[in-house]
Amino acid sequence: MEVTLLGTGDTTGTPTVGCDCDTCAAARERGVERTRFSVHVRNERTDETLLVDLSPDFRQQFLREDLSVPDAAVVTHIHFDHLHGAGNVFRLTRSLPVHAAAEVDPTTGESVAETVARQYDYLDAIEVHDQEPLEPFTAAGLNCRLVPVDHPPLVCYGLAVEDPETGAKLSISGDTTYDVPEDSRDVLADPDLLVADGIVHAEFCERHPRGGQHHDADGVPRTFGTKHMTVDGARALAEDLNADRFRAVHVSHFVPADRAFEDPFAVDGERYRL
């Protein structure tokens, strides 16, 4: 299984449009980017490919990495930076199976699968397949399971992807606080690689109107505000899940420039073979 981190940034990306902060300046100087979130997975046995989330930066990401249109996709939730690249498949393929959760969101009154189908009903190529959370399904020849996480006010899901023959495993936390349910943690556990939401360092919680949550024994917040993990929380989740490797994604430009490109913060284009 070959995993490429296509987009490792938050909603605005890094560099952020119109921003002259030290972190955005450093990204420009280094020639690196953190575009909006997306992960590409290639099944090396079958040469099929799976795209996790349809970033609005789809075209740029696929041209940059010299990739073909994926054979299947998964949508974790309906926020702009994870879904609204779907229109990029227009005229590029006749068929793109898109897997999404069937659980009805009390906030929207419809499931993620239903929202994708409704918003992109004009695209004949998109074939939405609704999946029950925690139940296995197959995409691109790989075993997958969507797992509920905590990203209020909308339902949101992490994803476990496993090669049924080699046992290689990728876990993606999804956009979430540290409060990932235990049954979801059980599915995500023991990955060869964990790709986890880690938007800023814990000390930045002091600048958030709602501060931080889910503090560890030393008082370090593992959740930034109410929707995302701090990188400290993402690291703690990696330890909880016994991950062999861990990369923090959904990274914001608020991470100080002198630490923004250090481990474990990922940048676009990182590639891993599991």
Side-chain angles (χ1 to χ4, degrees):
M1 187 191 304
E2 184 182 71
V3 178
T4 304
L5 306 184
L6 295 182
T8 56
D10 67 347
T11 309
T12 66
T14 302
T16 293
V17 173
C19 182
D20 60 358
C21 76
D22 289 345
T23 300
C24 289
R28 294 185 184 99
E29 290 170 3
R30 290 167 176 255
V32 299
E33 282 191 292
R34 291 187 172 120
T35 57
R36 275 71 68 89
F37 181 80
S38 189
V39 176
H40 184 273
V41 184
R42 184 167 72 90
N43 182 339
E44 294 180 291
R45 293 183 296 99
T46 66
D47 204 32
E48 295 174 276
T49 57
L50 174 66
L51 182 64
V52 183
D53 282 342
L54 293 154
S55 169
D57 297 311
F58 180 107
R59 180 178 179 274
Q60 174 188 354
Q61 292 169 348
F62 273 69
L63 288 173
R64 184 192 69 211
E65 302 300 328
D66 192 24
L67 299 171
S68 299
V69 178
D71 295 296
V74 173
V75 173
T76 61
H77 65 297
I78 63 171
H79 277 153
F80 160 79
D81 51 328
H82 295 259
L83 170 59
H84 290 309
N88 283 279
V89 304
F90 182 62
R91 293 183 179 171
L92 298 184
T93 181
R94 293 184 178 181
S95 175
L96 179 65
V98 176
H99 302 270
E103 177 184 22
V104 174
D105 187 338
T107 300
T108 65
E110 60 186 8
S111 68
V112 174
E114 289 170 330
T115 300
V116 175
R118 176 176 56 80
Q119 292 190 0
Y120 291 95
D121 61 349
Y122 64 93
L123 286 177
D124 294 338
I126 289 184
E127 305 167 0
V128 180
H129 298 261
D130 56 339
Q131 305 294 345
E132 292 298 328
L134 301 171
E135 294 298 319
F137 63 93
T138 301
L142 300 167
N143 293 339
C144 301
R145 279 198 277 181
L146 285 160
V147 298
V149 292
D150 181 44
H151 189 53
L154 300 176
V155 294
C156 185
Y157 305 88
L159 182 70
V161 182
E162 191 166 358
D163 188 310
E165 293 193 16
T166 68
K169 183 175 181 180
L170 165 69
S171 290
I172 298 172
S173 76
D175 283 12
T176 185
T177 71
Y178 179 72
D179 192 22
V180 178
E182 285 302 320
D183 51 359
S184 297
R185 287 171 178 254
D186 289 343
V187 174
L188 297 172
D190 300 314
D192 297 293
L193 175 65
L194 173 68
V195 177
D197 171 13
I199 194 165
V200 290
H201 290 97
E203 57 262 37
F204 203 81
C205 291
E206 296 175 0
R207 305 190 193 183
H208 195 288
R210 299 194 180 181
Q213 299 182 57
H214 308 120
H215 297 75
D216 65 16
D218 297 319
V220 177
R222 291 175 287 196
T223 292
F224 175 68
T226 62
K227 296 184 179 183
H228 296 278
M229 285 188 288
T230 62
V231 69
D232 310 78
R235 186 181 286 109
L237 182 66
E239 294 174 359
D240 297 344
L241 298 179
N242 192 36
D244 283 350
R245 286 181 283 184
F246 150 62
R247 301 301 286 161
V249 296
H250 210 278
V251 183
S252 81
H253 69 133
F254 296 117
V255 177
D258 60 347
R259 293 188 286 169
F261 306 100
E262 296 178 348
D263 187 69
F265 291 115
V267 295
D268 288 10
E270 293 183 10
R271 190 165 293 181
Y272 299 91
R273 181 166 278 110
L274 311 185

